């Protein structure tokens, strides 16, 4: 079983940047798909980005495309979410999640129901 630890959230002004880190233990992430999700107060948890580690394919929600970048460092067993040009509407608790996916077939995993393992959230607040 894989355990995930998300970190890197904070308070930033609009237009600023943050890098979130999802550190894994218990299993190596090279055969997993990793997703970043966010949940704002009163809203559903939504997929932000995902990476399929076995083939490196990445996917993004339209709302963050061109601003956020997901990447994986297999040596550190860590996945990052670089967030640039942040907007107040990006304010939310951000979660990372993992799903066992050993195939080399690209697949877009952007719904919470597709993931079995979750880290605790990290708060991102963007002020206007």
């Amino acid at each position: 079983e894989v355990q995930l630890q998300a970190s890197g959230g904070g308070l930033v002004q609009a237009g600023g940047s943050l890098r979130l880190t999802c550190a894994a233990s218990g299993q190596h992430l090279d055969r997993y798909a990793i997703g970043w999700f966010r949940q704002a107060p009163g809203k559903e948890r939504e997929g932000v980005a995902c990476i399929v580690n076995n083939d490196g394919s990445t996917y993004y929600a339209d709302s963050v495309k061109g601003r956020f970048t997901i990447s994986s460092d297999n040596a550190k067993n860590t996945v990052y979410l670089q967030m640039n040009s942040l907007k107040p509407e990006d304010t939310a608790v951000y979660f990372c999640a993992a799903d066992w996916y050993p195939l080399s077939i690209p697949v877009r995993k952007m719904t919470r129901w597709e993931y079995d393992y979750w880290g605790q959230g990290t708060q991102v607040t963007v002020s206007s």
Side-chain angles (χ1 to χ4, degrees):
E1 184 171 319
V2 63
Q3 292 85 43
L4 303 173
Q5 179 82 24
S7 62
L11 173 64
V12 64
Q13 289 189 330
S17 298
L18 283 174
R19 188 176 79 159
L20 304 184
T21 297
C22 179
S25 60
Q27 294 282 333
H28 201 279
L29 292 181
D30 59 349
R31 298 294 183 98
Y32 282 80
I34 307 299
W36 281 100
F37 290 77
R38 66 186 180 187
Q39 189 165 18
K43 294 191 176 181
E44 293 289 319
R45 190 170 299 187
E46 64 172 348
V48 174
C50 76
I51 183 167
V52 179
N53 268 341
N54 209 27
D55 78 338
S57 55
T58 58
Y59 303 88
Y60 298 93
D62 288 342
S63 58
V64 307
K65 204 171 291 184
R67 300 188 298 121
F68 291 11
T69 303
I70 188 170
S71 62
S72 183
D73 185 336
N74 284 338
K76 295 183 178 180
N77 213 25
T78 298
V79 173
Y80 303 100
L81 184 69
Q82 178 67 44
M83 307 187 295
N84 299 328
S85 302
L86 283 161
K87 305 175 181 180
E89 52 263 43
D90 295 318
T91 295
V93 178
Y94 284 71
F95 301 86
C96 61
D99 181 57
W100 171 252
Y101 189 77
L103 304 179
S104 295
I105 302 171
V107 62
R108 180 184 173 94
K109 286 179 172 285
M110 294 286 281
T111 63
R112 62 183 299 183
W113 318 113
E114 298 177 275
Y115 289 86
D116 291 325
Y117 306 102
W118 290 83
Q120 90 294 353
T122 184
Q123 175 71 46
V124 171
T125 304
V126 185
S127 63
S128 57

